[in-house]
Amino acid sequence: MGGRKGVLGQVRSKAAKVAAGVGRTPKCDARKAKVASRTWGVQEQRGRRHLSLSTLVSRGVGESGEFTSTIFDVEDVSLAGSKESILRGGRDKFGLLAKAFEGIKTIGVCGWGSQGPAQAQNIRDSIEAAGLSGDVKVKIGLRKGRPSWEEATACGFTEESGTLGETFDVVAESDLLLLLISDGAQASLYPRVLAAMKPGATLGLSHGFLLGVMKNDGVDFRDDINVVLVAPKGMGPSVRRLYEQGKSVNGSGINASFAVHQDYTGNATEIALGWSIALGSPFTFRTTLESEYKSDIYGERCCILGGVHGIVESLFRRYEAQGMSPEDAFINSVESITGPINSIISKRGMKAVYEELDGEGKEIFMKAYSASFGPSMDICYEIYEDVACGNEIKSVVNATNRFDRFPMGTIDQTRMWKVGEEVRAKRVEEDIPLNPFTAGVYVANMMATLTTLREKGHNWSEICNESIIEAVDSLNPYMHARGVAFMVDNCSFTARLGTRKWGPRFDYNLVQQAYVAIDNGAGVNDELKQEFLNHDVHSALAVCAELRPSVDISVSTDEAVGAGKARTQYKSSKANA
Ligand SMILES: NC(=O)c1ccc[n+]([C@@H]2O[C@H](COP(=O)([O-])OP(=O)(O)OC[C@H]3O[C@@H](n4cnc5c(N)ncnc54)[C@H](OP(=O)(O)O)[C@@H]3O)[C@@H](O)[C@H]2O)c1
């Protein structure tokens, strides 16, 4: 692999860029400084005065979410008073793909994990629907001899047809290269990948992770390529499943953020938007690579994956200790979240969960909410700041380098999840209760997740997707159908590692702080209650809900080939390198 030295010769050093004043400084950094001195956490429970959330979030909002296109009709939306631009998806836009992909003959998709199979098949189908099959080819790049090679072949990508080849051959051939190998592999292979790309080609990422790695390494992308991002806010199986369901209506899918980090050819925005339309994203919003990796790595560690895992483990034990049978404890924790609570939030938002309850239920919800919000904020802040300073990315890269000696463990073999298998087998959907205590703890975690993002300066589209929509419309449905391991382990290695690391921290803080406080008689915190009921997020989410997929995801209990089945078992990275 002779690339690293060569490419490092081509990359621009960060110091030189900063000296030349070319660095990209996201607006959120300035906003971060404004809110840095505010205190959050257990203080709220003690009733101390603090700046109200609505005051806090009205500052410095929104402009970074605006964009224009010369091909697609971009709409302005007002999210909690902030103007942002979105591109609405739909199969009726496929006709514009020819223009968006002008000059692109080969779209290379390297990687067949969670995103690879979904994105490659969706784009291939969209190109076919647009009548472009003869002009644009989707070609998969993989390591020969791996199970993923066979899976891709079974999905119709074959060597014979020129739509399947070795990773680095495909890198070199691609006009648009979608780099969907694991983030850990991107961290070690990027010099070689960049060296192999054609000048003028477009590097497409589905995560800003690589930028975080390169920042830690002190290097940047070479100058003569475009660098764009389209990041679906959900796992690959959801991206594919909803796209397939959407074929009978005008499309359906998972929302995506997009970013243009480097526009060498002058049409990088159109290429990125075309990619997102071809994936079937119901709406696409703008971000930056940096904002994306911060919010994404953070969000999946909080309520999207790590938070929810920690919550249900702690609640299951609590309910059993209070005398419930194991089955009832599972039903009142996991089933309640992935069933009625999830469905209400998905369609009507978080406040509707509270409004659905009777007087006594509302009181229980608010007590649980009041006690859980501060301890959840505490962990959320720690996660955000560890991500923002580069520590979490280093931790992921280090962990993947240890995989051969310490592979990732399984997460669904405990008694609780075995009970869950039996509960799911006997489930009567309508009988699943909306447990008010569970709802209070879960919604507090969501609110803590989004409050931290807002305080750190992210725009509303990103916040709603990284804290709420991805959880309720993409991931929780899989936990409902298949349990926790399927939900977690169909996400990226980055997400899986983060869930294993931070889930137990949420569990610990809830048990040690929130539940103890409640058991010691802590009541409703009126200030927190009013802030929750009047929070700007409810109106922002209502606008996003209008743009939600036109069909509900329907998850089968048996995964088909092509949904990334080859990835769910750990495989030695050294053995496969
Ligand atoms: N998973 C999600 O839900 C999700 C959501 C949004 C964005 N993303 C982003 O999408 C990208 C892909 O993530 P993913 O979860 O889909 O995939 P992944 O499971 O993390 O990666 C799997 C793929 O990486 C390949 N790979 C690993 N090491 C390699 C090496 N040394 N050389 C070549 N290939 C190697 C594997 O090859 P083999 O097939 O040979 O094993 C496999 O095809 C990441 O940037 C991720 O952050 C993921």
Side-chain angles (χ1 to χ4, degrees):
M1 62 178 249
R4 187 169 185 114
K5 222 174 168 189
V7 168
L8 290 180
Q10 295 176 48
V11 298
R12 293 162 289 159
S13 88
K14 281 276 174 256
K17 263 187 103 180
V18 171
V22 201
R24 291 170 179 79
T25 308
K27 289 175 181 150
C28 59
D29 284 353
R31 283 178 243 150
K32 187 166 66 183
K34 283 184 192 165
V35 298
S37 61
R38 311 246 153 74
T39 51
W40 271 103
V42 289
Q43 283 89 341
E44 284 82 11
Q45 286 174 279
R46 298 186 200 127
R48 273 175 47 169
R49 299 289 308 156
H50 57 80
L51 195 67
S52 78
L53 279 181
S54 45
T55 309
L56 196 71
V57 299
S58 64
R59 298 178 179 216
V61 175
E63 306 80 16
S64 64
E66 293 178 51
F67 64 95
T68 56
S69 163
T70 56
I71 297 176
F72 299 100
D73 284 334
V74 173
E75 300 170 42
D76 287 334
V77 289
S78 174
L79 298 175
S82 308
K83 192 172 150 201
E84 291 185 33
S85 311
I86 56 121
L87 172 62
R88 199 185 289 261
R91 299 178 70 85
D92 57 334
K93 314 277 190 320
F94 289 172
L96 298 170
L97 290 178
K99 250 181 136 183
F101 289 155
E102 212 169 331
I104 292 176
K105 299 256 170 275
T106 301
I107 300 178
V109 180
C110 286
W112 194 265
S114 174
Q115 290 295 322
Q119 294 202 23
Q121 292 179 94
N122 287 10
I123 296 171
R124 182 177 64 181
D125 291 357
S126 299
I127 281 172
E128 192 184 330
L132 295 174
S133 299
D135 304 315
V136 186
K137 175 169 73 178
V138 177
K139 183 164 183 174
I140 311 298
L142 296 173
R143 294 177 289 187
K144 203 167 184 175
R146 309 268 304 144
S148 53
W149 188 279
E150 282 165 34
E151 262 202 28
T153 305
C155 289
F157 296 102
T158 61
E159 271 186 291
E160 298 70 41
S161 64
T163 53
L164 175 63
E166 288 279 358
T167 306
F168 284 95
D169 294 338
V170 174
V171 168
E173 269 177 61
S174 300
D175 303 299
L176 169 58
L177 168 66
L178 309 189
L179 192 63
L180 301 179
I181 59 176
S182 66
D183 293 315
Q186 290 183 32
S188 57
L189 295 178
Y190 77 83
R192 202 173 151 196
V193 171
L194 291 179
M197 285 182 70
K198 292 196 277 201
T202 300
L203 174 64
L205 303 168
S206 279
H207 203 301
F209 189 94
L210 181 56
L211 178 70
V213 170
M214 292 172 73
K215 275 175 64 159
N216 283 348
D217 290 354
V219 296
D220 206 347
F221 297 95
R222 55 187 252 202
D223 281 325
D224 61 345
I225 56 169
N226 296 329
V227 180
V228 303
L229 165 127
V230 171
K233 299 291 127 195
M235 60 187 187
S238 306
V239 171
R240 181 64 184 157
R241 183 75 196 117
L242 277 165
Y243 181 94
E244 284 177 319
Q245 287 179 245
K247 282 182 178 173
S248 54
V249 290
N250 185 26
S252 186
I254 294 289
N255 297 333
S257 60
F258 91 99
V260 175
H261 186 74
Q262 202 161 274
D263 189 359
Y264 175 72
T265 57
N267 64 339
T269 298
E270 312 304 344
I271 294 171
L273 294 177
W275 171 14
S276 194
I277 288 290
L279 292 185
S281 316
F283 82 86
T284 305
F285 59 93
R286 180 172 169 261
T287 185
T288 63
L289 245 60
E290 181 160 338
S291 191
E292 198 279 337
Y293 81 68
K294 287 179 179 168
S295 59
D296 189 275
I297 297 174
Y298 160 82
E300 68 203 11
R301 278 151 181 73
C302 299
C303 69
I304 290 176
L305 288 168
V308 68
H309 192 187
I311 288 170
V312 294
E313 295 265 351
S314 68
L315 285 177
F316 177 79
R317 292 198 309 277
R318 178 177 173 83
Y319 292 151
E320 259 204 315
Q322 288 176 337
M324 281 190 197
S325 69
E327 289 74 18
D328 280 346
F330 191 87
I331 289 168
N332 279 280
S333 52
V334 181
E335 294 275 287
S336 190
I337 288 176
T338 59
I341 295 170
N342 194 73
S343 149
I344 295 170
I345 297 176
S346 171
K347 297 202 169 66
R348 292 185 283 134
M350 285 176 289
K351 203 158 87 171
V353 176
Y354 174 77
E355 285 161 352
E356 191 83 6
L357 298 164
D358 61 16
E360 192 189 347
K362 283 190 169 84
E363 182 77 5
I364 295 171
F365 175 103
M366 270 305 163
K367 277 188 187 167
Y369 181 93
S370 301
S372 306
F373 182 78
S376 302
M377 278 295 281
D378 182 4
I379 309 284
C380 288
Y381 247 78
E382 184 180 343
I383 296 173
Y384 191 94
E385 289 176 352
D386 273 9
V387 173
C389 74
N391 280 359
E392 194 65 16
I393 286 178
K394 279 187 193 149
S395 161
V396 169
V397 172
N398 289 342
T400 50
N401 289 338
R402 290 192 301 266
F403 271 172
D404 289 295
R405 188 151 177 231
F406 304 109
M408 235 189 295
T410 49
I411 57 166
D412 64 350
Q413 296 302 302
T414 58
R415 189 172 58 85
M416 168 181 170
W417 295 102
K418 291 290 166 200
V419 169
E421 279 173 23
E422 288 166 28
V423 168
R424 286 197 297 278
K426 289 188 272 185
R427 173 189 291 152
V428 179
E429 200 74 48
E430 302 73 48
D431 292 349
I432 303 174
L434 196 181
N435 182 302
F437 189 90
T438 299
V441 175
Y442 181 66
V443 171
N445 192 283
M446 267 189 172
M447 289 297 294
T449 303
L450 71 90
T451 299
T452 302
L453 280 174
R454 194 61 182 155
E455 289 188 12
K456 295 292 184 183
H458 292 265
N459 65 32
W460 278 115
S461 296
E462 193 150 70
I463 293 168
C464 289
N465 279 283
E466 297 287 12
S467 57
I468 306 162
I469 299 173
E470 180 166 357
V472 297
D473 287 341
S474 174
L475 292 164
N476 286 347
Y478 281 89
M479 184 155 74
H480 198 56
R482 308 274 196 92
V484 70
F486 195 87
M487 173 183 79
V488 173
D489 289 341
N490 263 292
C491 293
S492 63
F493 280 115
T494 311
R496 297 161 77 183
L497 286 164
T499 307
R500 285 158 168 82
K501 177 173 165 186
W502 293 99
R505 293 287 310 281
F506 280 108
D507 182 336
Y508 179 89
N509 257 23
L510 288 170
V511 171
Q512 299 292 331
Q513 295 182 31
Y515 304 160
V516 171
I518 290 165
D519 294 341
N520 287 337
V524 172
N525 178 322
D526 283 329
E527 205 171 352
L528 278 182
K529 176 180 172 181
Q530 290 313 317
E531 280 178 351
F532 168 67
L533 294 177
N534 300 311
H535 200 280
D536 283 347
V537 70
H538 304 307
S539 67
L541 199 56
V543 174
C544 294
E546 284 166 24
L547 301 159
R548 76 186 292 281
S550 50
V551 290
D552 288 334
I553 192 164
S554 111
V555 182
S556 72
T557 50
D558 180 28
E559 198 58 31
V561 159
K565 205 161 123 192
R567 75 188 297 281
T568 50
Q569 293 303 313
Y570 165 75
K571 295 174 242 65
S572 159
S573 56
K574 266 192 200 145
N576 302 319

